[in-house]
Amino acid sequence: MEKEGLSVSMFLDQVKVNVKAGNGGNGMVAFRREKYVPDGGPAGGDGGIGGDVIFVVDEGLRTLMDFRYNRHFRAEHGENGMSKGMHGRGAKALFVKVPPGTVVKDAETGQMLADLVDHGQEAVVAKGGRGGRGNIRFASPRNPAPEIAENGEPGDEKEIELELKVLADVGLVGFPSVGKSTLLSVVSQARPKIGAYHFTTLVPNLGMVQTDDGRSFVLADMPGLIEGASQGVGLGIEFLRHIERTRVLLHVIDMSGVEGRDPVDDYFTINKELEQYDLKLRERPQLVVANKMDMPDSEENLKTFREEMEKSGEEVEIFEISALTRKGLNQVMSRTADLLETAPEFPLYEEETGEEERVLYKFTPENREFMITRDPDGTWVISGDKVVKLYQMTNFQFDESVMRFSRQLRGMGIDEALRDKGAKNGDTVRLDNFEFEFVE
């Protein structure tokens, strides 16, 4: 039975989205106020954890089109702590569906966060904040009734870049107008746009191919490459990344030469572009598909092509076809299916590449706990992830919490650092959106 083709009409392969995990719930300051219970102590519960933002693969999706209209994803916050020592409820994670083959990167650093391939595969891209501790956690023999509680930890917020690489078994590569779209349309049910001009194909098209003996595979028609594609010329750089995911390449060459190009030059030029983009692409099994063999001069050009391949020492497997008359298609599709049985399974070379990337991103400067700068108006500004998080998790409604925050700043050495920078008694100090006076 013939399977229906999969056509990508509007292919969006890169998009940026904003994700925000839920904040943790605030801890509570509360005391037992029960009749007949003497010495009622602290009874404020902890806040619940904030929801994570999790990307999950859905094999029913083919493109990133949904993200064009919805670029903000927010998980729920954790519930605040309650009296009688009751903890707040943790928030549910927000699951965001992505198509197979989606690479998730941090847009700011470029670091790869996940490579999502298999159906159901998940990756936590933003972690929810932990719940703040209630005053029941701060009780001690020295302070049995503390008026101290933490606010919930803020959840992660990130700009995420999603990149989709077409998941196809076989990729059609070659210059514009060599007949790739026509070939795809006659061997599958896909209906790509076909025209007698260059760059008719602006997006990759997918089609399901079934051979005479019942084997099937997904074939991708890539937009035409040109010389300089690996450096960004033409459409090539946008779609060379899609070829990375294919396991076998069909190199379509116009043997008729009606465009005025030399088939031998075409062969070496395209392979050079593949090699310059990623050396591993030249290691993929590749069949040369000599197309338009029904045209004049094709036989003579093919003879010259074979001779040049022998001279250069290139071991190539050539199949003569005419996509228009459908001659020779069964043989090349059957041979392609044979190669797929022995070609490495997807993902190719992922472990090696992933390891290289992980090592690369270790060379980042160590984050300092705080930094002190001075604004033109004379205000001292304290910044840094750790100190800002301490501020955000401090409940300023209670004097004891404020005093604890002050002790934490002193313990980090901020007082001493301000003094060293030249801060004087009464100077204004700002931390996030909180301003206070420096006291000697």
Side-chain angles (χ1 to χ4, degrees), residues 56-61 97-98 100-101 116-122:
V56 58
V57 176
D58 182 349
E59 64 186 5
L61 297 177
K97 294 179 181 179
V98 297
L116 300 171
V117 179
D118 303 315
H119 179 65
Q121 185 180 348
E122 296 179 2

Side-chain angles (χ1 to χ4, degrees), residues 102-123:
T102 301
V103 174
V104 184
K105 293 182 179 179
D106 187 309
E108 191 176 334
T109 65
Q111 181 177 0
M112 186 170 80
L113 304 177
D115 191 357
L116 300 171
V117 179
D118 303 315
H119 179 65
Q121 185 180 348
E122 296 179 2

Side-chain angles (χ1 to χ4, degrees), residues 58-123:
D58 182 349
E59 64 186 5
L61 297 177
R62 284 284 171 179
T63 73
L64 296 175
M65 281 300 297
D66 291 348
F67 295 94
R68 176 176 285 179
Y69 309 108
N70 183 12
R71 293 176 185 262
H72 297 274
F73 298 91
R74 300 277 183 273
E76 293 180 357
H77 302 315
E79 202 175 69
N80 293 338
M82 293 167 280
S83 57
K84 297 186 179 179
M86 291 189 291
H87 297 337
R89 184 183 290 109
K92 291 181 180 178
L94 173 66
F95 288 91
V96 181
K97 294 179 181 179
V98 297
T102 301
V103 174
V104 184
K105 293 182 179 179
D106 187 309
E108 191 176 334
T109 65
Q111 181 177 0
M112 186 170 80
L113 304 177
D115 191 357
L116 300 171
V117 179
D118 303 315
H119 179 65
Q121 185 180 348
E122 296 179 2

Side-chain angles (χ1 to χ4, degrees), residues 61-319:
L61 297 177
R62 284 284 171 179
T63 73
L64 296 175
M65 281 300 297
D66 291 348
F67 295 94
R68 176 176 285 179
Y69 309 108
N70 183 12
R71 293 176 185 262
H72 297 274
F73 298 91
R74 300 277 183 273
E76 293 180 357
H77 302 315
E79 202 175 69
N80 293 338
M82 293 167 280
S83 57
K84 297 186 179 179
M86 291 189 291
H87 297 337
R89 184 183 290 109
K92 291 181 180 178
L94 173 66
F95 288 91
V96 181
K97 294 179 181 179
V98 297
T102 301
V103 174
V104 184
K105 293 182 179 179
D106 187 309
E108 191 176 334
T109 65
Q111 181 177 0
M112 186 170 80
L113 304 177
D115 191 357
L116 300 171
V117 179
D118 303 315
H119 179 65
Q121 185 180 348
E122 296 179 2
V124 178
V125 295
K127 189 78 178 161
R130 71 172 176 83
R133 291 175 291 179
N135 69 334
I136 200 169
R137 299 286 188 185
F138 295 96
S140 66
R142 197 171 176 181
N143 186 5
E147 284 193 329
I148 301 175
E150 291 177 329
N151 290 337
E153 181 184 25
D156 292 340
E157 183 168 13
K158 295 177 184 175
E159 284 287 326
I160 296 291
E161 185 174 274
L162 301 179
E163 182 182 275
L164 178 64
K165 299 181 182 181
V166 170
L167 285 175
D169 301 305
V170 183
L172 295 173
V173 298
F175 272 86
S177 297
V178 294
K180 299 187 298 297
S181 297
T182 306
L183 176 59
L184 177 69
S185 69
V186 296
V187 297
S188 75
Q189 293 298 302
R191 292 293 171 262
K193 185 178 179 182
I194 299 171
Y197 52 90
H198 288 190
F199 299 117
T200 312
T201 304
L202 297 177
V203 297
N205 291 293
L206 300 182
M208 183 68 78
V209 177
Q210 190 163 32
T211 62
D212 289 344
D213 55 6
R215 293 176 294 176
S216 61
F217 55 87
V218 178
L219 180 65
D221 161 31
M222 302 297 175
L225 300 178
I226 59 175
E227 191 167 4
S230 57
Q231 277 76 49
V233 179
L235 297 171
I237 193 64
E238 284 299 313
F239 300 106
L240 273 165
R241 66 169 61 94
H242 300 299
I243 300 172
E244 283 184 282
R245 297 270 174 162
T246 57
R247 295 162 55 206
V248 174
L249 299 179
L250 297 186
H251 191 156
V252 184
I253 297 176
D254 176 4
M255 277 297 163
S256 69
V258 292
E259 293 273 331
R261 292 194 310 265
D262 179 18
V264 177
D265 289 344
D266 282 8
Y267 174 82
F268 287 113
T269 301
I270 293 296
N271 277 319
K272 183 182 175 186
E273 292 305 320
L274 295 176
E275 194 172 289
Q276 287 181 346
Y277 179 75
D278 186 348
L279 196 60
K280 298 184 185 77
L281 289 176
R282 286 293 279 124
E283 299 171 13
R284 305 283 159 91
Q286 185 179 125
L287 300 179
V288 172
V289 180
N291 193 21
K292 304 187 183 179
M293 292 304 295
D294 55 319
M295 301 281 284
D297 301 327
S298 294
E299 291 292 345
E300 190 63 35
N301 289 340
L302 179 58
K303 183 180 175 184
T304 306
F305 184 85
R306 290 183 189 277
E307 289 170 357
E308 291 296 325
M309 291 301 106
E310 285 180 23
K311 284 181 191 175
S312 63
E314 288 273 329
E315 293 184 12
V316 295
E317 204 171 338
I318 303 171
F319 287 84

Side-chain angles (χ1 to χ4, degrees), residues 41-59:
D46 299 346
I49 60 171
D52 298 335
V53 179
I54 300 175
F55 284 2
V56 58
V57 176
D58 182 349
E59 64 186 5

